[in-house]
Amino acid sequence: MLDAIASAPGVSRAGVAARTGLTKATVSTVVDRLVTASLVREHGQERRSGPGRRGTSLSLSPDGPCGLGVEIGVDYLATCLVGLTGEVRGEWTRHRDNRDLPPEQVLSRVADALAEALADARRQDVTVAGVGVAVPGLVDTASGRVTVAPNLGWQDVDLAAEMHTRTPELPGQLVVGNEANLAAVAELHALRHEPASPSSFVHVSGEIGIGAGIVLDGTLFDGLHGFGGELGHFPVQPRGPRCSCGARGCLERLAGKDAVLDRAGVDDVDALVAALDAGDSTARAAVRAVGRVLGSTLSAVVNLLDVPTIVLGGVYARLHPWLSEPLSAELGDRVVGAPRRRVEVRRSVLGGEAAVRGAAAAALRTVLTDPDAYVLRARQAESRTTSSVGSRMDGGNGSSPAS
Amino acid sequence: MLDAIASAPGVSRAGVAARTGLTKATVSTVVDRLVTASLVREHGQERRSGPGRRGTSLSLSPDGPCGLGVEIGVDYLATCLVGLTGEVRGEWTRHRDNRDLPPEQVLSRVADALAEALADARRQDVTVAGVGVAVPGLVDTASGRVTVAPNLGWQDVDLAAEMHTRTPELPGQLVVGNEANLAAVAELHALRHEPASPSSFVHVSGEIGIGAGIVLDGTLFDGLHGFGGELGHFPVQPRGPRCSCGARGCLERLAGKDAVLDRAGVDDVDALVAALDAGDSTARAAVRAVGRVLGSTLSAVVNLLDVPTIVLGGVYARLHPWLSEPLSAELGDRVVGAPRRRVEVRRSVLGGEAAVRGAAAAALRTVLTDPDAYVLRARQAESRTTSSVGSRMDGGNGSSPAS
């Protein structure tokens, strides 16, 4: 029912009944509960064409709960709070190198970042419905374990358990996912508001590592174990530089953020963009070379999956003006059936924020798919709070709970 | 209903009714028609466990129609006749180089091969229900046009129209498909009779070109336009030898049949296998090098699609004993999360025959999905034959038809 309201904001109770096949009486009862739980709001008249009396308009509530997204980047930690209607209530990025640290140390940083974001949510009086974590590695999403994250140097880390241990008051459900897959889903939703938005694409996000998320017909394709879309270790140079994964000449060693900055002789992405803007020939040559390597790799992806669109995310989104031409040229040379099969190369809407936004959205999705569990948890939390400060629910007799 | 019988040979009319949700009366009427059309045969008692009276056993008829498969290989033409229960009624391979010929000349060869196969079908008194054609290129399956077939040098050839022009009496429906996709589907069906048969795999068939067919959860994955699974032009050596597609260093130039024979210094696959069997070091080194190139490429495919099994087809099926070790070693080095993620490398059941068998099966599938059209065509064909030789149907008055 929440899906029906989310996909048609402004719909009436009768409209929801028609869309879901439920009776109007059932819809009304459930809608009342959703309104009480601040998941849905009633606001003015239903928006639709055609004759007949207009019902009350229903939409997801902007005052409802937020999802809290966390991204464990290779050289940063990001968190964000996103509401049901997509509004960002807060967003923080901490630039810190997480490589070659024991996982425990990174997990402490994560717990600190979480504590800050949760404190901010409390200050804003926002309920956090769940936490989503984006990791640059292979994740067993069912258990929340990280099988391997080469760039972090992690092997078999039980992230979900570690996070529960470090943050016992973790609100709602915890979702752990691969950052590239979460980014691709976030981008899919963001693209829906753009002109000529594609429903099948490969989202390639360049950071120190390179991740890909494959979206086919509006659905994430992530393979048998959810390990699909690993593009960073694509073989480019059989005798190339050694990669964090143990192999040689992987794509991310030749076209990842560090490689581009190195080639261009600059320290960070801001400096790179400034140099490109100024027409610096070393910087431009560096990005052109990366564009060709990326294009050659993506030609293999297009030939294999027959997807019509590439979306450049992460650092590549900022480099899009200089990357897209050499990349498209290489696609034109290597995609079988080109030039009759044009592949569009577009810039991501969310850029470097896609993964953390996707993590927040994944946490919120647990509410949309199981609102009852959320309502129950919210009631339990309220009764804990009220009983510890003096219960409002039982008439305010002020008795302390037994602990 | 034919699907229900095909997937449970020995089922009774009541069993078909239970599986399809149709009434027993409807099932009986339709089954009678299918028996008359030689699509289904009744034979003994139904095979099932449990109590109750046994009905008459139904199964697809081995005396029913055949599918005629045609494969336009780069250096051969193959045809085969396959019956409803999978039995091969005839199989022919003509070794001829089809490269650098005008498409018309290859199409004449195809028409000759078709005529021979049809004549053989007539001699065996077998009805041909449809023709399937496998092409090593991108095919628009809806129209039967070949968009591009680099190894044949074809661009935009309306294969379906050309075949109808050259063989006006083409029986049944004509299906045109990509050879690697047809091979993968044929292999999927053949594997079902094997122990531990996989439902998700990439079938890689090595010929002069290299094609891949991707099967996920028992279904062919061929992308938005059906152009998916193109593996032959995977970029291996940026400055490698020029390929038929125009690019450089494509997989098939480095690991295709010609490349292996060249490296091994032999003329054909029989000579190569003999040299390998004899322990010839040049031949073994050649196959080892190809195994590593293939393994590196397939690591990218596994990382992208998260498939657990590689099936080696075509020439690679014969080379499996020597290819699998270097190929698996490279997968172990390059698949992210290995060795915990084991990728199985198995030999195809059908080998070089997979594509032509798949073409025949695709033709037969048109009968299974629309038996009425087949029955109607069969009746029309019979009335044409009988009326031209003197009608048996109208009492044998011997009058000639107006032409």
Side-chain angles (χ1 to χ4, degrees), chain B residues 210-279:
Chain B
I210 296 175
I214 302 165
V215 173
L216 302 172
D217 275 334
T219 307
L220 182 73
F221 171 81
D222 61 357
L224 197 66
H225 316 91
F227 293 170
E230 276 298 322
L231 194 68
H233 305 282
F234 191 96
V236 176
Q237 271 185 11
R239 288 182 185 77
R242 181 74 67 185
C243 178
S244 62
C245 74
R248 282 186 176 283
C250 295
L251 178 67
E252 60 187 41
R253 284 305 311 273
L254 297 157
K257 190 176 87 173
D258 281 355
V260 195
L261 297 181
D262 243 35
R263 270 184 197 245
V266 292
D267 286 338
D268 57 32
V269 179
D270 289 335
L272 177 58
V273 171
L276 289 166
D277 264 331

Side-chain angles (χ1 to χ4, degrees), chain A residues 71 135-139 151 177-187 201-216 219-223 226-234 251-252 294 297-302 304-305 307 309-314 316 348 354-355, chain B residues 300-306 336:
Chain A
E71 182 187 0
V135 185
L138 304 186
V139 175
N151 280 315
N178 170 270
E179 51 88 25
N181 289 343
L182 291 168
V185 173
E187 193 63 30
F201 59 85
V202 177
H203 178 261
V204 185
S205 63
E207 300 293 346
I208 288 175
I210 297 175
I214 302 164
V215 174
L216 302 173
T219 306
L220 181 72
F221 170 82
D222 62 358
F227 294 168
E230 277 298 321
L231 195 67
H233 305 281
F234 191 95
L251 177 68
E252 59 186 43
L294 218 46
T297 299
L298 289 169
S299 74
V301 177
V302 170
L304 208 58
L305 299 179
V307 281
T309 305
I310 306 290
V311 180
L312 293 180
Y316 294 152
S348 105
Chain B
V301 176
V302 171
N303 283 333
L304 209 59
L305 300 178
D306 184 15
V336 181

